[in-house]
Amino acid sequence: MVEEVLKYTLPALFTFLATYLVMHKFLVNERLKLKSEAVRDNQKIIAPLRLQAYERMVLLLERIQPNALVMRCQQEGMSCSDFQLLMLKTIRSEFDHNLTQQLYISDNAWEQVRMAKDGCVLLINRVALLVKPNQPSIHLSKLILETMMTEGKDPTVKALACLKDEIRELF
Protein backbone atom coordinates (compact mmCIF):
# COMPACT_ATOMS: atom_id res chain seq x y z
CA MET A 1 0.00 0.00 0.00
CA VAL A 2 2.86 2.42 0.82
CA GLU A 3 4.47 1.48 -2.45
CA GLU A 4 1.24 2.26 -4.23
CA VAL A 5 1.05 5.74 -2.62
CA LEU A 6 4.71 6.45 -3.40
CA LYS A 7 4.19 5.31 -6.98
CA TYR A 8 1.74 8.17 -7.50
CA THR A 9 3.07 10.83 -5.14
CA LEU A 10 6.77 10.77 -6.10
CA PRO A 11 6.17 11.55 -9.80
CA ALA A 12 3.67 14.21 -8.75
CA LEU A 13 6.25 15.75 -6.37
CA PHE A 14 8.94 15.72 -9.06
CA THR A 15 6.52 17.29 -11.54
CA PHE A 16 5.54 19.94 -8.97
CA LEU A 17 9.20 20.67 -8.14
CA ALA A 18 10.17 20.94 -11.81
CA THR A 19 7.21 23.21 -12.52
CA TYR A 20 8.02 25.34 -9.48
CA LEU A 21 11.67 25.76 -10.53
CA VAL A 22 10.76 26.62 -14.12
CA MET A 23 8.08 29.12 -13.00
CA HIS A 24 10.42 30.64 -10.41
CA LYS A 25 13.15 31.15 -13.01
CA PHE A 26 10.61 32.57 -15.45
CA LEU A 27 9.25 35.04 -12.86
CA VAL A 28 12.75 36.13 -11.84
CA ASN A 29 13.61 36.78 -15.48
CA GLU A 30 10.36 38.70 -15.98
CA ARG A 31 11.10 40.86 -12.93
CA LEU A 32 14.58 41.62 -14.23
CA LYS A 33 13.16 42.47 -17.64
CA LEU A 34 10.54 44.78 -16.12
CA LYS A 35 13.17 46.41 -13.94
CA SER A 36 15.50 47.04 -16.89
CA GLU A 37 12.57 48.48 -18.88
CA ALA A 38 11.73 50.76 -15.95
CA VAL A 39 15.35 51.91 -15.73
CA ARG A 40 15.39 52.56 -19.48
CA ASP A 41 12.11 54.49 -19.25
CA ASN A 42 13.46 56.49 -16.31
CA GLN A 43 16.58 57.32 -18.30
CA LYS A 44 14.38 58.78 -21.01
CA ILE A 45 12.92 61.11 -18.39
CA ILE A 46 16.04 61.74 -16.31
CA ALA A 47 18.51 62.33 -19.15
CA PRO A 48 16.89 65.58 -20.31
CA LEU A 49 16.63 66.76 -16.71
CA ARG A 50 20.30 66.02 -16.12
CA LEU A 51 21.30 67.80 -19.31
CA GLN A 52 19.18 70.78 -18.30
CA ALA A 53 20.85 70.80 -14.86
CA TYR A 54 24.30 70.86 -16.45
CA GLU A 55 23.17 73.67 -18.74
CA ARG A 56 21.89 75.65 -15.78
CA MET A 57 25.14 75.12 -13.91
CA VAL A 58 27.11 76.42 -16.90
CA LEU A 59 24.80 79.43 -17.06
CA LEU A 60 25.24 80.00 -13.31
CA LEU A 61 29.02 79.93 -13.66
CA GLU A 62 28.94 82.29 -16.62
CA ARG A 63 26.71 84.70 -14.71
CA ILE A 64 28.84 84.74 -11.54
CA GLN A 65 32.18 85.21 -13.29
CA PRO A 66 33.65 88.37 -11.75
CA ASN A 67 34.12 90.10 -15.11
CA ALA A 68 30.48 89.34 -16.06
CA LEU A 69 29.29 90.58 -12.68
CA VAL A 70 31.24 93.80 -13.02
CA MET A 71 29.60 94.52 -16.35
CA ARG A 72 26.11 93.53 -15.25
CA CYS A 73 26.02 95.11 -11.78
CA GLN A 74 27.87 98.36 -12.46
CA GLN A 75 25.63 101.38 -11.88
CA GLU A 76 26.52 105.02 -12.06
CA GLY A 77 26.74 106.81 -8.72
CA MET A 78 27.25 103.60 -6.72
CA SER A 79 29.93 103.41 -4.03
CA CYS A 80 32.47 100.59 -3.85
CA SER A 81 30.82 99.10 -0.77
CA ASP A 82 27.37 99.17 -2.38
CA PHE A 83 28.80 97.66 -5.54
CA GLN A 84 30.51 94.90 -3.55
CA LEU A 85 27.27 94.11 -1.72
CA LEU A 86 25.29 94.05 -4.97
CA MET A 87 27.75 91.65 -6.61
CA LEU A 88 27.73 89.36 -3.56
CA LYS A 89 23.93 89.48 -3.41
CA THR A 90 23.76 88.63 -7.12
CA ILE A 91 26.08 85.64 -6.66
CA ARG A 92 24.08 84.40 -3.69
CA SER A 93 20.80 84.85 -5.56
CA GLU A 94 22.05 83.03 -8.66
CA PHE A 95 23.42 80.19 -6.55
CA ASP A 96 20.29 79.86 -4.40
CA HIS A 97 18.13 79.84 -7.51
CA ASN A 98 20.00 76.77 -8.78
CA LEU A 99 20.44 74.80 -5.55
CA THR A 100 18.06 72.03 -6.56
CA GLN A 101 20.09 71.22 -9.65
CA GLN A 102 22.59 69.42 -7.45
CA LEU A 103 20.18 66.47 -7.52
CA TYR A 104 20.93 65.87 -11.18
CA ILE A 105 24.69 66.44 -11.37
CA SER A 106 27.51 64.48 -9.80
CA ASP A 107 28.81 65.27 -6.34
CA ASN A 108 32.15 66.24 -7.85
CA ALA A 109 30.52 68.66 -10.30
CA TRP A 110 28.43 70.23 -7.53
CA GLU A 111 31.52 70.64 -5.37
CA GLN A 112 33.34 72.35 -8.24
CA VAL A 113 30.40 74.73 -8.75
CA ARG A 114 30.29 75.51 -5.04
CA MET A 115 34.04 76.13 -4.95
CA ALA A 116 33.76 78.41 -7.99
CA LYS A 117 31.05 80.43 -6.24
CA ASP A 118 33.20 80.67 -3.11
CA GLY A 119 36.20 81.67 -5.23
CA CYS A 120 34.24 84.51 -6.85
CA VAL A 121 33.06 85.76 -3.47
CA LEU A 122 36.60 85.56 -2.10
CA LEU A 123 38.05 87.47 -5.07
CA ILE A 124 35.48 90.26 -4.76
CA ASN A 125 35.95 90.56 -1.00
CA ARG A 126 39.74 90.43 -1.26
CA VAL A 127 39.87 93.15 -3.93
CA ALA A 128 37.26 95.25 -2.09
CA LEU A 129 39.68 95.52 0.83
CA LEU A 130 42.06 97.45 -1.44
CA VAL A 131 39.63 100.33 -2.14
CA LYS A 132 37.92 102.84 0.08
CA PRO A 133 34.25 101.93 0.68
CA ASN A 134 32.94 105.38 -0.32
CA GLN A 135 34.91 105.60 -3.59
CA PRO A 136 32.96 105.33 -6.86
CA SER A 137 32.28 101.74 -7.86
CA ILE A 138 34.31 102.12 -11.03
CA HIS A 139 37.47 101.82 -8.89
CA LEU A 140 36.41 98.42 -7.60
CA SER A 141 35.36 97.34 -11.10
CA LYS A 142 38.70 98.32 -12.54
CA LEU A 143 40.64 96.63 -9.73
CA ILE A 144 38.67 93.38 -10.07
CA LEU A 145 39.34 93.23 -13.81
CA GLU A 146 43.02 94.12 -13.33
CA THR A 147 43.41 91.48 -10.61
CA MET A 148 41.88 88.82 -12.81
CA MET A 149 44.18 89.78 -15.67
CA THR A 150 47.36 89.89 -13.57
CA GLU A 151 46.61 86.71 -11.62
CA GLY A 152 45.24 84.99 -14.70
CA LYS A 153 42.73 83.17 -12.54
CA ASP A 154 39.03 83.01 -13.12
CA PRO A 155 37.43 81.07 -10.25
CA THR A 156 34.88 79.50 -12.60
CA VAL A 157 37.22 77.99 -15.20
CA LYS A 158 37.90 74.73 -13.36
CA ALA A 159 34.20 74.15 -12.63
CA LEU A 160 33.24 74.85 -16.26
CA ALA A 161 35.83 72.35 -17.46
CA CYS A 162 34.53 69.75 -15.01
CA LEU A 163 30.93 70.23 -16.18
CA LYS A 164 31.93 69.98 -19.84
CA ASP A 165 33.95 66.81 -19.20
CA GLU A 166 31.03 65.16 -17.43
CA ILE A 167 28.62 66.10 -20.19
CA ARG A 168 30.96 64.51 -22.75
CA GLU A 169 31.05 61.32 -20.68
CA LEU A 170 27.27 61.17 -20.18
CA PHE A 171 26.18 61.94 -23.70
Side-chain angles (χ1 to χ4, degrees):
M1 172 126 173
V2 172
E3 290 176 9
E4 196 67 28
V5 170
L6 287 176
K7 189 161 91 174
Y8 292 108
T9 56
L10 279 178
L13 280 172
F14 286 132
T15 304
F16 171 75
L17 184 61
T19 304
Y20 173 79
L21 291 174
V22 167
M23 288 302 292
H24 182 267
K25 184 71 171 168
F26 173 76
L27 291 174
V28 166
N29 286 339
E30 281 298 307
R31 263 190 239 125
L32 288 173
K33 192 163 104 177
L34 287 173
K35 187 176 181 181
S36 70
E37 286 175 12
V39 167
R40 193 174 36 249
D41 290 344
N42 282 342
Q43 285 300 329
K44 288 178 184 175
I45 295 168
I46 297 285
L49 293 174
R50 290 189 76 191
L51 182 59
Q52 183 182 38
Y54 279 96
E55 289 171 351
R56 287 186 61 180
M57 290 298 100
V58 168
L59 182 60
L60 164 72
L61 292 170
E62 292 291 338
R63 291 179 60 85
I64 68 170
Q65 282 180 330
N67 55 351
L69 277 173
V70 163
M71 303 309 274
R72 205 169 65 249
C73 295
Q74 182 68 46
Q75 296 174 9
E76 196 168 319
M78 186 179 273
S79 70
C80 284
S81 63
D82 290 340
F83 184 52
Q84 175 189 8
L85 290 174
L86 178 60
M87 286 190 296
L88 295 177
K89 181 181 175 191
T90 301
I91 290 172
R92 189 171 24 261
S93 173
E94 291 283 346
F95 187 76
D96 289 348
H97 181 71
N98 289 290
L99 273 174
T100 59
Q101 299 307 308
Q102 67 183 295
L103 292 172
Y104 301 106
I105 66 175
S106 73
D107 291 340
N108 179 49
W110 179 251
E111 183 63 20
Q112 292 296 323
V113 169
R114 198 184 55 69
M115 286 173 35
K117 186 248 329 167
D118 293 344
C120 292
V121 168
L122 183 67
L123 174 69
I124 292 166
N125 287 336
R126 183 172 49 100
V127 172
L129 292 173
L130 303 174
V131 296
K132 293 181 179 142
N134 57 351
Q135 281 183 306
S137 61
I138 194 72
H139 293 290
L140 181 56
S141 298
K142 186 178 174 185
L143 197 53
I144 287 172
L145 295 174
E146 286 174 359
T147 301
M148 286 186 63
M149 288 176 69
T150 57
E151 291 180 0
K153 289 169 77 175
D154 181 341
T156 63
V157 168
K158 187 176 178 185
L160 279 168
C162 174
L163 291 173
K164 289 177 183 178
D165 288 343
E166 285 193 11
I167 285 294
R168 284 185 202 105
E169 288 176 19
L170 290 173
F171 300 99

